[in-house]
Amino acid sequence: MNNNIYFTPGPSELYPTVPQHLQEALAQKIGSISHRSKQFQEIYASAEAGLRQLLQLPDEYEVLFLSSATEIWERAVQNNVRRESFHLVNGSFSKRFYETAQELGREAQQHTVPFGQGFDTASIKVPASAELVALIQNETSSGACMPVEEINQFRAKSPAEALIYVDAVSSLPYPAFDYAKVDSVYFSVQKCFGLPAGLGVWLVNDRCMAKARELQELGLSTGSYHTLPSLLEKALSHQTVETPNVLNIYLLSKVLEDMNSKGIEAIRKETEAKAAKIYTYLESSSVFSPAVENPQHRSNTTIVANSTVPASEVNKHLAAFNMQVGSGYGKYKESQIRIANFPAHSPEQVDRLLEKLQDQFR
Amino acid sequence: MNNNIYFTPGPSELYPTVPQHLQEALAQKIGSISHRSKQFQEIYASAEAGLRQLLQLPDEYEVLFLSSATEIWERAVQNNVRRESFHLVNGSFSKRFYETAQELGREAQQHTVPFGQGFDTASIKVPASAELVALIQNETSSGACMPVEEINQFRAKSPAEALIYVDAVSSLPYPAFDYAKVDSVYFSVQKCFGLPAGLGVWLVNDRCMAKARELQELGLSTGSYHTLPSLLEKALSHQTVETPNVLNIYLLSKVLEDMNSKGIEAIRKETEAKAAKIYTYLESSSVFSPAVENPQHRSNTTIVANSTVPASEVNKHLAAFNMQVGSGYGKYKESQIRIANFPAHSPEQVDRLLEKLQDQFR
């Protein structure tokens, strides 16, 4: 029996209702049903409707299921960039999207700031030739986030035809996006939705679809089975091109019912209240300090702290109380800790984590 | 509660031990562990070792985890075909691999025989320019299969540099391949391994790896995150590039333990015994007849029959006994039935299926 509470930034703690939904999935034999059955179409439709309700997603957006956010980077470049993309880079994941564009032969441009910093939106110039502008609302590696009000400024700062992409892998459903001011938002279910890994969700509007068709009409390759038009064709009948991770789509549909019952406002308020407690502790501690200096750019869902004690020592202490935080990312593995503050983490669990940290690391 | 027994050709009946493994996964919180943890590496290593044992896989092969067999078609073309591939096509899935190569801008050649037929291997000429020869050991759409002895002839029939690919999506671990005579074999876990969908397994040898590196050295694009060299680099430390379907890799490792306990020979013999009973019934029935005429080309794992009664009527009859077979594929939806004969289907379940079919459809 594993009694750990995982404050790791994804995979992380499962949403508390997931075990019971998994039991129901077994009872209903969801693992055996055909992905071409009416039953699967209803599951897809339920997950889509649940997301539309939770996120207040406008009609011009489609909900597409892929295997990971990593895959979404590749499909975004293949389908929405003919020559040039522009990336805001301030950590390992935003950098990876930039590198993906390069690997696929595009002229990727980047605006970089040091790891752990947010962006000074006013000073950023989007190149006139950028076809895709890659913003990162929440950089999982560093804990830096971009306020929604700044994201909303990019439409006016960008070429009229440019598509605004937002990485919300480890923050949705927390940020209240204005979906009319961006064109695509994507996330992974193993972060804030508290599910097992193996599913990426790609929200794309009609402008992204039009761009993919434009590239196809020019005779350019947009991939094979996961082109946007192929994905859309199946999505319209609540199906996927390939045999998908049916079990995870089912679990997502169920967790979305639970989240909608709780209400997005309650989830957002609880997230903020827990984050405030965590940051208050980090600021008062002599061992830890928030890794992101500017409070405006501190993530409320993946909270990163510099640590004068090696991360492995922090986790050794926490292990005695069946808790675990994330170590720092890459070269910050021992010098930082990362605390996931997802909807799956109850206020009581966060209180207990802070209590046990405080006991040892004042 | 759903008490159906699914004889559908994938997703299908779960292997009987899967529910208990899922309970253990919940108890061990497998859905929360990091894909960069030692615990995950051990799960990957266990799944790999289990496959090596069950399939008697030689050392020069790597075991790679992707999201689906559909993805594997794309990655195979990107990594192993510079200009030209050659495909044996006798149904919807072999055709889809051929089309994937075309969509990715390759000059795909095909040797086609009608739906439901096997190939006359002796008469097939592999083009001298073929870099990848796509064989289909088991065509899930039509129930036609290719005997292993015929697959083994292709090395000698093909250019020395050509890579021999084998689609065993809905047959492994049943066929006893000579892995030295081919270069890549791939399958999906929701077929004969009796798992929930969302994981494709790609077995590739060192020749496939060398070809991918050759294309990269020529400056050609082999994709982004799922190039063979990227997949290999992570696989060598029992990791994946992206956050994978950790739960399914865990379940696969557990089902492989069960299958290895039973033994591959027992699984093969049981598969053949069940298949023989099914074909004997189909041949004796006035309603059904095996869709593949040549007994040598009839699959033992996905058994397809022409039906004078619409497939939906057959399933209406079976529903009263909590059983379901697959309908025909595509335009054969009502005129054929497909019966999955996977390791998850016990001899007793097959007996009961045949008994209930026989009651109504003599």
Side-chain angles (χ1 to χ4, degrees), chain A residues 219-240:
Chain A
L220 302 169
S221 172
T222 54
S224 68
Y225 69 113
H226 271 180
T227 66
L228 274 178
S230 304
L231 287 160
L232 176 64
E233 187 194 334
K234 287 294 184 187
L236 290 177
S237 59
H238 297 120
Q239 292 186 30
T240 55

Side-chain angles (χ1 to χ4, degrees), chain A residues 1-6 8 10-14 18-19 22-23 26-29 31-35 39 67-68 70-71 74-75 78 96 100 103-104 190-191 195-198 221 223-226 241-247, chain B residues 1-6 8 10-14 18-19 22-23 26-29 31-35 39 67-68 70-71 74-75 78 96 100 103-104 190-191 195-198 221 223-226 241-247:
Chain A
M1 192 74 182
N2 176 350
N3 292 315
N4 275 359
I5 303 296
Y6 288 84
T8 47
S12 189
E13 201 59 18
L14 296 183
V18 167
L22 253 180
Q23 302 300 349
L26 277 174
Q28 296 296 334
K29 299 188 78 162
S32 298
I33 66 168
S34 168
H35 57 297
Q39 194 180 354
S67 57
S68 63
T70 305
E71 184 189 359
E74 181 176 87
R75 305 311 178 189
Q78 288 175 325
R96 196 70 198 90
T100 299
E103 286 164 4
L104 294 171
Q190 77 274 16
K191 312 282 186 181
L195 292 173
S221 172
S224 68
Y225 69 113
H226 271 180
V241 178
E242 79 293 2
T243 315
N245 189 337
V246 175
L247 184 59
Chain B
M1 193 74 181
N2 176 350
N3 292 314
N4 275 0
I5 303 297
Y6 287 84
T8 46
S12 189
E13 201 59 19
L14 296 184
V18 168
L22 253 179
Q23 302 299 349
L26 278 175
Q28 296 297 335
K29 299 188 79 163
S32 298
I33 66 168
S34 168
H35 58 297
Q39 194 180 353
S67 58
S68 63
T70 304
E71 184 189 359
E74 181 176 88
R75 305 310 177 191
Q78 288 175 325
R96 195 72 198 90
T100 299
E103 285 165 2
L104 294 171
Q190 76 274 16
K191 312 284 187 182
L195 292 174
S221 172
S224 69
Y225 70 113
H226 270 181
V241 178
E242 80 292 4
T243 315
N245 189 336
V246 176
L247 185 60

